[in-house]
Amino acid sequence: KELATPTHPVDPRAANRTYAQARELALSLLAKLRAGAPIDPLMKEYSEDAGSAQSGMVFDVRPDSGLVPSFKALGLRLNVGEAGIVQREFGLHVIQRVE
């Protein structure tokens, strides 16, 4: 809720969530991925980015890809199947390398 701006409204599920609660949720999702849970159902249920939740789109991560630098850095560092968390101005992002 602390991250809402006029151009980036907060998902209704997050409207009353504190940063500490959001971090706890992100860490629990990361633990599920690390335990072998598939990312697609988790993304559909928990993603607060409507586009990502619906599409399940995979982003090609290469050194020259046009991704946000912190996403690219984590994506290049992870091995296939590994997951991590990136914090940005719009919140916490759980990322898993799938290819």
Side-chain angles (χ1 to χ4, degrees), residues 17-82:
R17 187 182 303 139
T18 64
Y19 174 79
Q21 292 166 326
R23 181 168 170 73
E24 185 177 316
L25 176 60
L27 289 170
S28 74
L29 295 172
L30 181 62
K32 289 178 183 186
L33 290 171
R34 288 181 172 169
I39 194 168
D40 289 337
L42 293 174
M43 192 167 33
K44 285 184 170 103
E45 182 176 351
Y46 292 100
S47 180
E48 294 171 4
D49 173 0
S52 296
Q54 303 253 332
S55 74
M57 191 165 98
V58 174
F59 294 93
D60 189 21
V61 181
R62 298 180 319 272
D64 63 341
S65 62
L67 295 174
V68 174
S70 55
F71 288 4
K72 185 175 11 179
L74 179 61
L76 291 171
R77 191 174 74 236
L78 295 172
N79 293 314
V80 173
E82 288 184 327

Side-chain angles (χ1 to χ4, degrees), residues 81-92:
E82 288 184 327
I85 296 177
V86 170
Q87 180 178 336
R88 296 209 52 244
E89 66 269 18
F90 296 120
L92 297 161

